[in-house]
Amino acid sequence: MTVAATLAELVRDFRANGRIVIVGASLAGLRGAEALRAEGFTGPLTIIGDEPYEPYDRPPLSKQVLKGWVPADHTALPRLRALDAQWRLGVAATGLDRATKHVLLADGEQVPYDRLLIATGTRARPWPNPDEAALEGVYTLRSRDDAAGLQRALAARPSRVLVIGAGFIGSEAASVCRDLDIPVTVAERGSAPLVGALGGVIGEIAAQMQRDHGVDLRCGVGVSSLEGDAGGHVRRAHLSDGTTVAADVVLASLGSIRNVEWLEGSGLAAGFWGVGCDAGGRAFDINGVATDSVYVAGDVARAPHVLYEYQFLAMEHWDNAVLGAQAAAHNMVNLEPHYRPNLLLPGFWSGQFGVNIKSVGVPPFGDEIVFTQGSVKDRRFAAAYGRRGRIVAAVTFNHGRWLEYYGRLIQESAPFPPPPPGWDRPDDMKPMPADFPEPGVPTAVPDVVLTGHDPNERRAEFRPRR
Amino acid sequence: MAEETPWQQALRHANRANPYPFYAELRKTPVARQPDGTYVVSTYREIVQLLHDNRVSSDPRNLPVPVAAPAEGSAESGAEPITEAVISLEPNIITCDPPEHDRDRRMMTPHFFGPPHAPHLIADLEPEIRRIVDGLLDNMKGKTRIDAVDDFAYPLPVTVICKVLGVPLEDEPRFHGWIETALDALDFGPEAGSEQMVSRLEGARQAVKDFEQFAAELLDRYAKQPGPGMLSAMVNEDGAEGRMSKGVLASNALLLIFAGHETTVNLIAHSVLTLLRHPDALEKLRRRPELIVPGVEELLRFESSVQFWHTRSALEDIEIAGTTIPKGAPIFLAYGSANRDPQRFANPDELDLERPDNEHLGFSQGIHYCFGAPLARLEVQVAVGEFIRRVQNPRLVVDPPPYRHNQIFRGPRHVLVDIDGIRD
């Protein structure tokens, strides 16, 4: 038998009899499972999820669900094909033994695998003080239950809502409050809303939008503590500028934490930053070597992107979950010359204050911005981000139909500023600094050390700071 | 005399039944300059790219030759075909650029399918569409030969668009005549300069004028006495951005009546014709009626209702596929060719009702994506689905059938079908 024939036989056999386990039962996990079946994988497939629910869609949670248009339990993701999978819902994975190829579950069971797809995503960063976080009326917004709880709280018409953090989730929630005519205060440590994702120039526009809609927006301040009443219900917050905000609902929208704790000790390059992997979704071990049995997709994956100087990007975007999972699934059941990368141009959208915000590329990678179409005054415009004379991202406000044009320019590494549009030119087309905050110093980053003397025997070791 | 380019050949009336071999030739040069200076773009990738390029204008006022209608009586034979082809009207949403385009389309959308006014308008039309389709099929009982165009494809869209817009159905014969006259005079090919076409053009100008006056009068009537339908709503209701001027409103009304009239007729006619030519596909659809949804998408790809569009031009030099379209040049986007581009669709000349990833350009793409697409889809799904279910043993009588003259809105004039009967 030739080598090629042997390899083909191996692939056939794996597709028929291999055991695949997916940890994470959300968008990436579901689409990954579907893609495996579409790729011809017929072996046993197990999907593990710590939530008791079937995979559901998250974008509506901070919009339609909060507003009360759609019940939180009506957001199940459509199934695109029959899966014939074993679902283990409501039980968390707690460990990974790569030597024996087993996933350890919270109920003590061990699930064997031949190939593993990690799609555990992220969770909401809770309010740091546990006592204050436990007060009634304090919420985060990431899961279906979060959304259902916050929706009920809003439907009860609180006297004031305090939103801590003006990223996308916080801004969308503030927008919903205003739509429901509920007074809302937004406290943001940065100089403006959305500043981390879109920079200060766009942040200023977003700030004005919030104020125009009656949001009590306070930038450059943090929340020092939350205070409850005798019944344990949150009543007020103390801000770092010495002021106090009376609020009976508090939403902590402080970003996300990657669900990697269960991988501790697995020897994978997993930590604070996510799980490192190559563009094809193959997880790296802690030494930076690609594994051949563990794959990663979705929010928890962090892969180099060719368009962004091979920087490792974690993209918490809907289509990255889908396309990353599909690429990983393809690679899980194919051999090397047929591997496929996930070279998605990142993109996201958000709806707030009557404006549809869409973006393509990686705005924070840019340092300059130029308005290319439309009118800032009308909240209907496109702007491009540049870095060293090359367009790297674009954002649109109520102008999403042009995103594809900018996407193509980014893909082609077109010059910045981009060619002028034929019509609908803004008054001012001069590039200016995009005004992103300096990259913050991450806190509590675990340390990795090298051990061993002989260079060939050197290995990395994970030593988290306690 | 120079040999005709593939594009010119594709546009000859003799080739209307099957322009596809010429399109295949045309695609060898994705962006092909024509002798009259027009740049014809025929490949999927390049068309999509230009549809999303904000250096491409859809406003005919940007075309190189002034397109104001010539004075009465000046025949202007031998003029540039583009000049002749574009009849001057106030700009409507298909012939203007942002920001005007965006604003006007935003003003129209809520009255057609968008919230807050009409979120269910189109879905709620389904029972009525079924009633009309049933009635048309009932009328065929006892016949052994039908014309799938006159007896079936034509009456449905016309009745529906009149209802949606609020145009009195009894006026239909008048504007039907105007539309036919105008369309028959529009020619973008080598036959445009012929005596016959030049003489038709005179009549066409008058028809458009009459049609415009009809629309203006209708709108005036609604201004005095509000009535049912979208046109009355647009005359009487202020949106967040106000209201369209009378002239722009009349032009858009004209566009809606016209577009709701022609394209869907051709699509239904082509669908019936295509399915009768592909008995296996017809049988599959009969057995699995749920395939009507992807099936209609495939039929739209296979025989695009709008074969190309002709009002676009370059506002800057645009480099694409190794060619530079110079600033000011007219650009024709050949959707009918893009939808058969083998670089995009596997076996494009095969009809595959379950074709995966069928992102065809039958409704275009980008900001000028077909405004009426949701309505057209519903009409064709119901019409074709019921035709297949109820018509017994349909057989084509003449193949290929006679075609209309116009190249953009390509469609058969008649599709004669012998039938055994009509099921209940």
Side-chain angles (χ1 to χ4, degrees), chain A residues 3-68:
Chain A
V3 173
T6 313
L7 287 178
E9 182 54 39
L10 272 175
V11 170
R12 244 194 319 277
D13 182 58
F14 180 79
R15 286 185 185 174
N17 305 311
R19 293 167 303 180
I20 292 185
V21 172
I22 298 177
V23 183
S26 192
L27 181 62
L30 175 64
R31 293 291 178 257
E34 288 167 344
L36 282 169
R37 293 301 189 211
E39 294 274 349
F41 173 70
T42 56
L45 178 62
T46 306
I47 304 172
I48 297 161
D50 60 347
E51 283 189 85
Y53 309 120
E54 300 257 305
Y56 57 86
D57 208 17
R58 291 181 202 274
L61 296 182
S62 57
K63 307 172 185 81
Q64 293 91 330
V65 170
L66 272 200
K67 224 174 266 185

Side-chain angles (χ1 to χ4, degrees), chain B residues 121-139 152 155-157 159-160 163 268 289-293 296 375 377-390 422-424:
Chain B
L121 188 140
I122 292 180
D124 289 350
L125 280 171
E126 184 171 341
E128 171 112 20
I129 291 173
R130 286 199 181 277
R131 260 198 307 281
I132 299 168
V133 169
D134 273 347
L136 294 171
L137 290 168
D138 288 344
N139 284 344
F152 188 67
L156 170 69
T159 312
V160 174
K163 182 183 161 71
I268 296 173
E290 76 278 7
L291 284 183
I292 192 68
V293 173
V296 165
L375 180 59
R377 282 194 162 109
L378 180 60
E379 287 181 34
V380 183
Q381 285 163 8
V382 174
V384 176
E386 284 300 286
F387 187 93
I388 288 166
R389 190 179 70 79
R390 294 191 59 192
I422 301 293
R423 282 186 198 88
D424 280 325

Side-chain angles (χ1 to χ4, degrees), chain B residues 36 60-68 76 79-84 86 328 330:
Chain B
D36 66 357
R61 289 168 297 187
N62 288 320
L63 288 171
V65 188
V67 292
E76 276 204 343
E80 294 278 295
I82 303 157
T83 321
E84 295 288 12
V86 183

Side-chain angles (χ1 to χ4, degrees), chain B residues 74-403:
Chain B
S74 65
E76 276 204 343
S77 61
E80 294 278 295
I82 303 157
T83 321
E84 295 288 12
V86 183
I87 293 165
S88 91
L89 280 173
E90 291 257 4
N92 55 49
I93 54 167
I94 209 169
T95 59
C96 74
D97 295 331
E100 289 76 20
H101 162 274
D102 296 5
R103 187 197 57 221
D104 292 350
R105 189 162 168 145
R106 270 201 305 273
M107 286 188 193
M108 285 165 60
T109 305
H111 299 293
F112 185 54
F113 51 76
H117 298 293
H120 304 294
L121 188 140
I122 292 180
D124 289 350
L125 280 171
E126 184 171 341
E128 171 112 20
I129 291 173
R130 286 199 181 277
R131 260 198 307 281
I132 299 168
V133 169
D134 273 347
L136 294 171
L137 290 168
D138 288 344
N139 284 344
M140 294 174 192
K141 284 184 175 169
K143 290 189 186 176
T144 55
R145 173 168 296 184
I146 58 161
D147 179 353
V149 177
D150 288 351
D151 299 340
F152 188 67
Y154 183 74
L156 170 69
V158 169
T159 312
V160 174
I161 196 69
C162 283
K163 182 183 161 71
V164 169
L165 296 176
V167 176
L169 197 55
E170 56 271 24
D171 288 329
E172 189 277 322
R174 291 163 69 204
F175 60 76
H176 179 44
W178 295 324
I179 290 173
E180 288 275 292
T181 309
L183 273 192
D184 280 347
L186 265 188
D187 191 312
F188 296 84
E191 288 148 316
S194 71
E195 214 169 292
Q196 187 195 21
M197 290 312 297
V198 170
S199 73
R200 281 186 189 179
L201 209 54
E202 261 330 283
R205 287 203 184 90
Q206 190 54 46
V208 173
K209 238 175 239 160
D210 293 342
F211 195 3
E212 203 179 4
Q213 195 180 341
F214 166 81
E217 282 170 10
L218 184 66
L219 293 168
D220 280 343
R221 265 209 319 276
Y222 279 135
K224 290 194 192 93
Q225 174 72 51
M230 180 175 165
L231 296 182
S232 175
M234 285 175 58
V235 173
N236 291 296
E237 289 172 27
D238 269 339
E241 294 169 283
R243 228 179 282 193
M244 286 180 189
S245 76
K246 250 172 96 173
V248 173
L249 188 48
S251 178
N252 277 303
L254 213 68
L255 171 70
L256 293 175
I257 299 173
F258 165 77
H261 212 80
E262 277 308 316
T263 47
T264 317
V265 177
N266 288 336
L267 180 55
I268 296 173
H270 260 140
S271 297
V272 170
L273 176 65
T274 303
L275 288 170
L276 293 184
R277 283 172 174 170
H278 295 83
D280 46 335
L282 184 107
E283 195 42 45
K284 193 172 182 180
L285 212 43
R286 205 195 310 273
R287 275 199 329 271
R288 297 172 58 194
E290 76 278 7
L291 284 183
I292 192 68
V293 173
V296 165
E297 298 307 308
E298 174 69 349
L299 290 160
L300 258 164
R301 182 195 68 83
F302 200 73
E303 296 282 13
S304 304
S305 274
V306 176
Q307 288 282 303
F308 61 95
W309 199 250
H310 58 287
T311 66
R312 287 187 171 85
S313 54
L315 294 170
E316 305 280 337
D317 287 359
I318 298 173
E319 204 191 305
I320 179 167
T323 304
T324 299
I325 303 177
K327 180 174 174 170
I331 304 172
F332 282 17
L333 303 179
Y335 303 132
S337 168
N339 283 341
R340 300 280 190 117
D341 184 347
Q343 297 287 330
R344 177 60 181 79
F345 299 104
N347 305 317
D349 295 327
E350 275 171 30
L351 186 74
D352 175 3
L353 299 176
E354 295 178 86
R355 184 176 289 277
D357 186 29
N358 190 356
E359 214 175 304
H360 60 76
L361 300 182
F363 288 127
S364 187
Q365 228 183 60
I367 64 166
H368 292 288
Y369 180 83
C370 177
F371 186 75
L375 180 59
R377 282 194 162 109
L378 180 60
E379 287 181 34
V380 183
Q381 285 163 8
V382 174
V384 176
E386 284 300 286
F387 187 93
I388 288 166
R389 190 179 70 79
R390 294 191 59 192
V391 178
Q392 289 178 316
N393 192 22
R395 293 144 352 243
L396 273 182
V397 178
V398 184
D399 192 10
Y403 268 75

Side-chain angles (χ1 to χ4, degrees), chain B residues 408-422:
Chain B
I408 297 178
F409 307 98
R410 169 175 167 267
R413 181 66 201 86
H414 300 284
V415 176
L416 296 183
V417 182
D418 279 347
I419 61 174
D420 288 356
I422 301 293

Side-chain angles (χ1 to χ4, degrees), chain A residues 285-352:
Chain A
D285 74 8
I286 190 169
N287 301 298
V289 177
T291 60
D292 58 10
S293 57
V294 183
Y295 291 73
V296 207
D299 290 3
V300 76
R302 185 167 172 270
H305 200 298
V306 290
L307 274 183
Y308 297 98
E309 297 175 0
Y310 292 94
Q311 278 195 29
F312 277 70
L313 301 179
M315 298 184 244
E316 293 182 40
H317 302 326
W318 198 93
D319 47 359
N320 179 54
V322 174
L323 297 171
Q326 286 171 347
H330 173 89
N331 297 339
M332 287 171 90
V333 296
N334 283 284
L335 286 177
E336 191 207 79
H338 307 292
Y339 285 165
R340 220 185 263 160
N342 165 29
L343 291 182
L344 168 74
L345 204 52
F348 66 83
W349 69 276
S350 169
Q352 43 185 287

